[in-house]
Structure formats: structure tokens, C-alpha cells
Amino acid sequence: MAEQTAIVPDSRTMPRIAPKTLKPNLIGLSRDQLRDALLAAGAPDKQMKMRVSQLWGWLYQKGVSDADLMTNLSKDFRVFLAENFRIARPEIVTRQVSVDGTRKYLLRIDGGHEVEAVYIPEEDRGTLCISSQVGCTLTCTFCHTGTQKLVRNLTAGEIVGQILVCRDDLGEWESAGKDAADKRLLSNIVLMGMGEPLYNTDNVRDAMKIAMDNEGLSLSRRRITLSTSGVVPEIIRAGEEIGCMLAISFHATTDEVRDKLVPINKKWNIEKLLEACRNYPKLSNSERITFEYVMLKDVNDTDADARRLVKLISGIPAKINLIPFNPWPDAPYERSDWDRIEEFAEIVNRAGYASPVRTPRGQDIMAACGQLKSATERAKKSRAQIEAEAGAA
Ligand code: SAH
Ligand code: SF4
């Protein structure tokens, strides 16, 4: 049985809209932004560099969220911090743990909006899948998030905050030393949750800079993968300004089919997308692009598709990730049969590409790729019931 913890604040006191008077959050600020924020609030310029560095240590290496615990800062400075700033993470609304160890968090951010993050433990790594937007403006027809309208972009603090929430939950702040990167439970980040990260590139970049910084969360840039549906003009910029690994939601081998599955293809077609991939900075055999390919029965799963796929990406250092379609209520597609997926994988393998078929994780808690909307709505329903009960009491 999956375990579920619902943390339900009293609905009568719970703010639905962020009060305008919220203090600025220290989480998510670059060193320069943090310095400017401290100065603007009246902190003295003296020893500012050291203070900023100490603060980062408390926020991102020790995971402290109470200024009073920052013992190497003077009492006065701690009081100043508490009076002028918040140290806020997204708030956990529900936390579900699958029988396979996958953890799914429903998180509430300022304004009362909700996003999801999913932690997937594996033998050699632990991957946190994070969201970049509330909803998505794009309308990929196989993706449940795509049926939800965009509410807003997440801030850098809300993006990095998802990692902090998961580290809190895994209780691994003590081991978060600079040399312990490989031993950590949370070792990898994928930007594959809700939203299109390259429609929020600046905030994603600022958050990932904190994640990659040795005084920040010190995750290697090779352990961070950004997945995009193909926002071509932003791809090179992401490579230059973030430098993380790239995954492309490819999913089709002709423009005709891709136009339907991933409608952004009408704006930037397969040819333009592959050209951007070929020019991705740092691309090499040790830093390959992942091509994600969702297996949809009778839509994109023929032998001819497999052959076209390897031909299209030839010359690009690449991995191919076959994702069996994860169904959601009333979805207009079905998952390809397993023997079809295997035959498709075989053609891709013979062409020299490792083509792992991604086993869906956390199925009992609807935590797989593209399912992240339904759970939110379910959770909303149950809280609405709880609120009704509270009101009736
Ligand atoms: N917006 C970004 C990242 C989030 S989606 C993007 O599109 O790349 C993460 C991955 O899950 C993408 O490859 C997406 O195409 C895939 N996906 C979406 N819905 C899916 C579903 N129902 N089954 C399997 N994969 C899905
Ligand atoms: Fe948005 Fe990605 Fe889903 Fe497409 S697959 S609708 S880009 S989240």
C-alpha cells in the first residue's frame, strides 16, 4: 500500500492569496542579489562578502531555515535577518510514498498555487524531478499537464526550494559536504515535472546556478538534465548559461505527426530542432543529448519510425529514452504493446544507441511523466471535502 501523509492546514486561516506584505525570501537569490537585498534593508557594507558566503552555507549546505540557528553570525545580524526576511520553501500539502520508494510531493507556493515534485530512488542515484511552471502553455496532446492552463512561472526560489524540501524530507543535510556528492540520496535533478523550462529560462538558470555552486547545493552540472519540448531559440542559451545536460521531447519522426503530438513543432520543426541540438555547447560522446520518445500505440511506434529516428539523429552524440505512454483519465492515446516497444528498441539498439525503456515508477501514486496534473486535482477534491467537513463541524 502506498503511504500518504496529508498535511492539511486549517482552511479558515489558510491564506489563498499571498499577502502583499510578505517579506522577501532569502532562498533563490544569487550572491549579488542577496548582497543588494541585505544592503537595501540597511545592513552595513562591511564584511558583506563574508556574510553572503556564510548565509549561503546555512541556507544551502546546512539547510537551516531559522536565522536564529545561524550561530556564526552575530546576534544583531540574526535579529536583523529575522525582522526583514523570510527563509521560505514551498509548503508540503501532501507527500505520498510508493511501494517502490518513489516519493511524490504536492507543494503549495505563494499565491496558493500548487506544483508537484517526484523523488525517484535508484541503486546508483536518487533523482528529483522538479517543476518549472504551474501548468504549461504548450498543449502536447499526450501530456496531462498540457491540458492545464499556465498559471505562472515559478521563481528561482520556488524552483530551488523543491530541492530543499526533498533534502529536508530525506534528512540528509549533515552529509551534504562538498565531497559527498556521489553518496547523496538526492544526487540528480531532472527538469521534467510540470511546465516548459525554456519558457522560464532565466529563473531556471538562476535556480540551477545555486544547485551547481560549490557553496550552494554542489550538484554537478552533469547531474542536472533539462527537458524541453523544443523551444529552439532558448536551447543554445540554456547550454551557454546553464551548461547542464539536455533532453529533447522528440516523440515523432515526421513533422506531420510531431505537429500533432508536440504542437510547438509547427513553430520550430524537426529540422530546426535538430540543428539547435547539433550546435548545443559541450556536446560530446561523454555529454550526450537524450532524445525522449513516448511510445504511443499505432501513432509513432512502427519499425519505419524507429529507422527514421536513428537516421534523423545520426551524427549527434545521443541517447534514446523510450517512455511507455503513461495513461491518464480520458487520454486520447494508448500505450504501445510491450513486444512492439521491444522490437522498436531492438532497431534502435542495432543502430548503436543504448535505448533503455523507462520503467514507469511510482505507478500506485500516479507519479510518472505526464501524469502530474491528475493527482493535483484529486488532492484538491479531497481537500475540498475536508474543508466542507470542517465547515459543517
Ligand atoms: N515540458 C518539458 C518537460 C516536462 S515533460 C518537456 O516537454 O520536455 C517530461 C517528459 O515526459 C517529456 O519528455 C514529456 O514529453 C513526457 N511525457 C509527458 N506526458 C507523458 C505521458 N503521458 N506518458 C509518458 N511520457 C510523457
Ligand atoms: Fe508542457 Fe512538456 Fe507536457 Fe508538452 S510535454 S504540455 S511542453 S509539460
Side-chain angles (χ1 to χ4, degrees), residues 93-114:
V93 180
T94 58
R95 167 187 174 278
Q96 290 170 279
V97 183
S98 158
V99 282
D100 69 11
T102 300
R103 299 178 187 209
K104 184 167 77 171
Y105 308 97
L106 175 65
L107 303 171
R108 183 162 44 232
I109 55 172
D110 289 348
H113 310 302
E114 287 166 356

Side-chain angles (χ1 to χ4, degrees), residues 136 138 140 142-144 191-197 227-230 247-251 292-294 323-328 358 369-371:
C136 189
L138 301 174
C140 303
F142 54 89
C143 173
H144 209 192
L191 282 144
M192 292 188 188
M194 296 162 73
E196 168 48 61
S227 175
T228 179
S229 56
I248 301 287
S249 293
F250 204 57
H251 306 321
E292 296 161 285
Y293 199 94
V294 63
I323 317 174
F325 171 62
N326 294 310
W328 35 273
R358 199 190 286 168
C369 286
Q371 291 184 321

Side-chain angles (χ1 to χ4, degrees), residues 136-143 145-148 260-264:
C136 189
T137 42
L138 301 174
T139 50
C140 303
T141 45
F142 54 89
C143 173
T145 311
T147 63
Q148 186 181 356
K260 290 202 186 91
L261 298 181
V262 189
I264 201 178

Side-chain angles (χ1 to χ4, degrees), residues 237-308:
R237 185 159 89 88
E240 283 166 355
E241 296 181 16
I242 310 173
C244 59
M245 308 299 288
L246 180 68
I248 301 287
S249 293
F250 204 57
H251 306 321
T253 60
T254 63
D255 281 324
E256 197 193 345
V257 176
R258 197 164 190 273
D259 279 352
K260 290 202 186 91
L261 298 181
V262 189
I264 201 178
N265 194 68
K266 291 184 205 150
K267 203 161 183 186
W268 296 292
N269 65 14
I270 291 179
E271 192 189 339
K272 291 190 182 118
L273 176 58
L274 291 175
E275 191 192 325
C277 290
R278 290 199 166 85
N279 294 325
Y280 192 69
K282 298 201 184 75
L283 189 57
S284 70
N285 273 335
S286 62
E287 294 196 26
R288 298 168 193 232
I289 292 178
T290 302
F291 286 85
E292 296 161 285
Y293 199 94
V294 63
M295 299 296 296
L296 304 171
K297 189 173 187 169
D298 300 332
V299 175
N300 65 354
D301 62 353
T302 63
D303 287 356
D305 279 306
R307 283 193 289 269
R308 265 196 302 269

Side-chain angles (χ1 to χ4, degrees), residues 35 39 115 121 139 207 237 311 314 338 356 364:
R35 182 181 153 272
L39 289 175
V115 291
T139 50
R237 185 159 89 88
K311 202 165 159 209
S314 78
W338 283 107
D364 52 337

